[in-house]
Amino acid sequence: MLVLILGLLLFLGVHSVAIVSPAGRDRLVAQMGEGAWKGLYSLVSAVGLGLIVWGYGLARENPVLVYSLPGGMRHLAALVLLPVFVLLLAAYLPGRIQRATKHPMLLAVKLWALGHLLAQSVTGGSLADILLFGGFLLWAAADRVSLKRRAQAGTLRTVPVLPASGANDLIAVVGGLALYGLTVMWAHAALFGVRPFGG
């Protein structure tokens, strides 16, 4: 469990620098240089992600069960998770979906986390599930509030995106649903040893 917690602290911690102190983040970039900051950011993120994967795997070997849900909740989870890949693609493909959701990647993270908390209806929700998925859910909610405040203060940095196009929404929907299908039918079991729909 400590490995998982350390991974979450590193990964979510480095992703929270701008949430906690946007000015502090800007000072760090100015002191280190954009390239050095991005390199350090990427390194800490990669180490944190690796520890999260390793720590969650270790925690699943001896789970500490905390909650249980009715079996039907996994069907609700599948529905909640359906738009996740669509939203992830829409974050990079400017169109109506991006405009309507404002921050589609954060919405995708929130739905991914909530869906996985709901999906624990068969084996029961463990402490590791709460730490992992609950941690990402809280982080995404905090980041959304932070982005709104920074936008109002005029301190929100702009990031380069692809040109807007009428086809972007179609690409996001078709590509996102294809990725969803690939994940539930094969990739989730291959990567994590869990079949979302059983079997």
Side-chain angles (χ1 to χ4, degrees):
M1 199 70 71
L2 289 177
V3 176
L4 174 60
I5 293 171
L6 179 59
L8 287 167
L9 288 174
L10 287 174
F11 187 85
L12 295 180
V14 76
H15 282 81
S16 299
V17 173
I19 297 174
V20 176
S21 177
R25 185 258 178 212
D26 293 340
R27 281 194 301 272
L28 279 172
V29 173
Q31 290 170 0
M32 299 175 64
E34 188 79 26
W37 166 253
K38 287 181 177 178
L40 178 62
Y41 186 95
S42 299
L43 178 62
V44 174
S45 296
V47 171
L49 185 59
L51 289 173
I52 288 171
V53 172
W54 181 32
Y56 186 69
L58 291 174
R60 284 176 57 193
E61 293 176 5
N62 296 293
V64 179
L65 297 182
V66 177
Y67 68 95
S68 61
L69 295 170
M73 293 300 282
R74 71 186 307 180
H75 301 298
L76 177 59
L79 186 62
V80 168
L81 290 164
L82 187 62
V84 167
F85 286 112
V86 174
L87 290 165
L88 284 175
L89 293 180
Y92 299 99
L93 298 167
R96 290 189 185 96
I97 296 172
Q98 191 182 93
R99 284 196 302 274
T101 58
K102 292 187 172 47
H103 299 284
M105 179 158 310
L106 289 179
L107 180 55
V109 171
K110 286 188 270 190
L111 291 175
W112 169 82
L114 177 61
H116 280 82
L117 288 171
L118 294 173
Q120 310 305 320
S121 59
V122 175
T123 58
S126 71
L127 180 58
D129 296 322
I130 293 173
L131 288 172
L132 175 59
F133 304 117
F136 271 89
L137 182 59
L138 289 174
W139 170 82
D143 198 26
R144 179 65 183 91
V145 171
S146 172
L147 287 170
K148 186 174 181 180
R149 287 181 179 163
R150 281 181 274 164
Q152 290 171 344
T155 59
L156 187 61
R157 293 179 301 115
T158 57
V159 294
V161 294
L162 294 173
S165 166
N168 284 349
D169 288 322
L170 180 62
I171 295 169
V173 170
V174 173
L177 292 178
L179 286 170
Y180 179 84
L182 180 67
T183 299
V184 298
M185 297 302 175
W186 173 77
H188 203 280
L191 294 171
F192 309 112
V194 177
R195 295 183 182 278
F197 296 128

